[in-house]
Amino acid sequence: VQLQASGGGLVQAGGSLRLSCAPSGRTFITYNMGWFRQAPGKEREFVAGINWSGSSTYYADSVKGRFTVSRDNGKNTVNLQMSSLKPEDTAVYYCAADQYALGPRGTYVYWGQGTLVTVSS
């Protein structure tokens, strides 16, 4: 599975961005999806996740109430709607897929190339 993340950019604090992840090569309907981020000089961290059907979502405490993960299996995409962005949200955001990893648990096998989100103060 090849994953392509898009939608990153520069936004002011308090603004919003919508990231999208589109796999290619095969359907990802049976895969759980995750969003991770890595800020400069920091380790990669879990941001949000959604199970294969979309019935369960998971969020890091730092983004709960501000970010919303969703998926459209008909369009083969998963999205991360980010609102009330803060400078500390600045990072490269990655989407990931796996049939067994769920939310922050497990090891995701497939990863996208990342999209940069920069939040200015």
Side-chain angles (χ1 to χ4, degrees):
V1 177
Q2 301 271 348
L3 300 174
Q4 180 76 29
S6 61
L10 174 63
V11 64
Q12 288 189 331
S16 299
L17 276 177
R18 182 181 176 89
L19 305 184
S20 293
C21 179
S24 63
R26 61 194 287 182
T27 181
F28 79 128
I29 291 177
T30 60
Y31 285 77
N32 301 321
M33 302 295 293
W35 285 97
F36 293 77
R37 67 186 181 188
Q38 186 166 20
K42 295 187 176 181
E43 293 187 354
R44 187 172 61 196
E45 64 176 356
F46 169 78
V47 175
I50 188 166
N51 73 335
W52 68 273
S53 68
S55 61
S56 297
T57 56
Y58 309 84
Y59 297 96
D61 288 343
S62 59
V63 306
K64 205 170 291 184
R66 300 188 297 122
F67 291 11
T68 302
V69 60
S70 62
R71 68 189 299 162
D72 185 336
N73 284 342
K75 296 182 179 179
N76 216 29
T77 58
V78 62
N79 301 304
L80 184 67
Q81 178 67 45
M82 305 185 297
S83 303
S84 302
L85 283 162
K86 305 175 182 179
E88 50 263 45
D89 293 318
T90 294
V92 177
Y93 284 72
Y94 300 88
C95 61
D98 194 80
Q99 289 187 297
Y100 303 107
L102 184 60
R105 303 181 191 86
T107 301
Y108 287 80
V109 174
Y110 302 103
W111 291 83
Q113 88 291 354
T115 185
L116 178 62
V117 173
T118 303
V119 184
S120 63
S121 57

